[in-house]
Amino acid sequence: DLEARMAEGEVGEEGEEGGDSSDDARVTRGPLIERNALRSCTVGILCSGAGVLQPRVRSNTLSRCELAGLELARGSEAVAEANAVAESAQVGILVTTNAQPLLLANCVRSSGQAGLEVSEGAVCSALRCELSANRGHGALVRGAGSRLFLRRSKLCGNRLAGVLIFDRAAATVSGCDLCDGHAAGIEVGAGCSAVLLRNAVRGNGLGASAQFRGRHKVFSDASAAGITIRAAATPVVERNVLARNAGAGVYADHGAGGRVAHNEFARNAFDVVKLRPGALTLVEGNVELELELGDEGPSQAATAGAGA
């Protein structure tokens, strides 16, 4: 039974103990930046530079900043924990220029371009974060060498993709709840790589343009899919639940690669997997399930994954 298995916590990164990581215990020897309320700054808090004395940024409220509520740059390995970032004009949390921070249980809402941006060769680990109701993407990963490890997080109600990976960037997204977005839950851009494992991707594509099949309205384009794979992208898409998306569960564009295997699909409005002509994506071992109306299996699974 899908609902029972998911309620038992099956959603989560394979090999994890409860989905957490030793990164949780990362020790910082630098200053503690704690319990500040900053509003209408260019950047609320900036942590820049490598070295032994890395700060811990904890329990701050950062709102209506012009560039970013929190910026981690130039090799920073800071730990940012339990911060609330809202209404940034551009980005809620910006991780850039080779930074390698750890983000724990931060909440970013109502930001402009993205809730979280990882760019310019940065490598970011984010665990138990919420990136929701942003006016752009939930998380944006861009540029060669940039990588996001996003685990057990919630990305809901974003105006653009829940996670967008593009311009030769890479990401691992596992145990996350990606729901009720106006575009695709996850989009893997041209030439990008990704590992998408044990996520609940549900109810996305709300803002996509409609087409008609007979008298029935359907959404067949990439922006309505649960997961979209662009040309020359090579993601591994395994053991996810994709349900109630406005288009296909997975959409593979012309020339897309990668593998879609052992996923469970339920009540998507269009195809389970839509392969455009010329798509090279390997599709195997997937299951389509019939869920009753009101069955909240995917929702419960994602909640367990995001909140554990």
Side-chain angles (χ1 to χ4, degrees):
D1 178 85
L2 174 63
E3 182 175 353
R5 294 204 318 276
M6 299 177 82
E8 288 170 2
E10 188 172 315
V11 169
E13 186 168 351
E14 188 160 10
E16 291 181 315
E17 292 294 332
D20 291 339
S21 164
S22 58
D23 275 345
D24 260 0
R26 185 188 292 189
V27 175
T28 57
R29 300 178 180 177
L32 175 63
I33 304 170
E34 185 177 34
R35 299 186 186 283
N36 298 284
L38 304 175
R39 180 185 177 95
S40 301
C41 307
T42 301
V43 174
I45 296 174
L46 170 63
C47 301
S48 180
V52 176
L53 299 178
Q54 292 294 318
R56 182 172 289 265
V57 182
R58 186 169 65 196
S59 301
N60 299 282
T61 301
L62 311 167
S63 61
R64 297 192 176 183
C65 295
E66 182 178 342
L67 175 61
L70 172 62
E71 180 178 350
L72 307 163
R74 300 184 182 278
S76 173
E77 297 180 13
V79 175
E81 180 178 6
N83 298 287
V85 183
E87 300 183 87
S88 295
Q90 294 190 37
V91 179
I93 299 177
L94 175 61
V95 181
T96 189
T97 52
N98 301 303
Q100 299 184 46
L102 172 62
L103 308 181
L104 296 173
N106 299 283
C107 179
V108 184
R109 302 179 67 88
S110 303
S111 291
Q113 179 174 305
L116 168 64
E117 178 182 323
V118 181
S119 59
E120 297 190 50
V123 178
C124 177
S125 296
L127 177 65
R128 298 194 305 274
C129 292
E130 180 177 353
L131 309 167
S132 294
N134 293 290
R135 299 188 299 278
H137 306 283
L140 170 63
V141 193
R142 62 181 180 89
S146 300
R147 180 153 197 146
L148 172 63
F149 296 89
L150 181 65
R151 288 170 294 156
R152 292 190 175 268
S153 295
K154 183 174 183 178
L155 301 92
C156 291
N158 294 292
R159 285 283 175 181
L160 298 178
V163 177
L164 174 62
I165 309 153
F166 82 110
D167 190 22
R168 297 170 296 158
T172 297
V173 181
S174 62
C176 293
D177 179 8
L178 300 110
C179 67
D180 302 331
H182 287 247
I186 302 173
E187 180 171 336
V188 186
C192 295
S193 62
V195 176
L196 311 178
L197 178 66
R198 294 179 183 268
N199 301 289
V201 185
R202 57 195 177 89
N204 296 289
L206 299 179
S209 59
Q211 300 179 22
F212 287 85
R213 177 183 287 175
R215 293 181 297 172
H216 301 285
K217 185 166 65 173
V218 297
F219 299 84
S220 60
D221 65 339
S223 62
I227 295 173
T228 295
I229 306 170
R230 296 295 189 181
T234 56
V236 175
V237 182
E238 289 192 0
R239 302 185 187 182
N240 302 281
V241 173
L242 299 105
R244 301 187 181 88
N245 296 291
V250 174
Y251 177 102
D253 213 342
H254 306 279
R259 183 172 78 250
V260 177
H262 309 297
N263 301 283
E264 295 179 337
F265 296 83
R267 302 184 69 86
N268 295 288
F270 203 61
D271 305 281
V272 170
V273 178
K274 181 176 178 61
L275 298 175
R276 295 297 304 276
L280 304 174
T281 306
L282 174 64
V283 180
E284 60 181 0
N286 300 288
V287 177
E288 184 174 12
L289 303 175
E290 287 293 334
L291 297 183
E292 297 296 329
L293 290 174
D295 181 353
E296 295 301 320
S299 176
Q300 290 186 15
T303 301

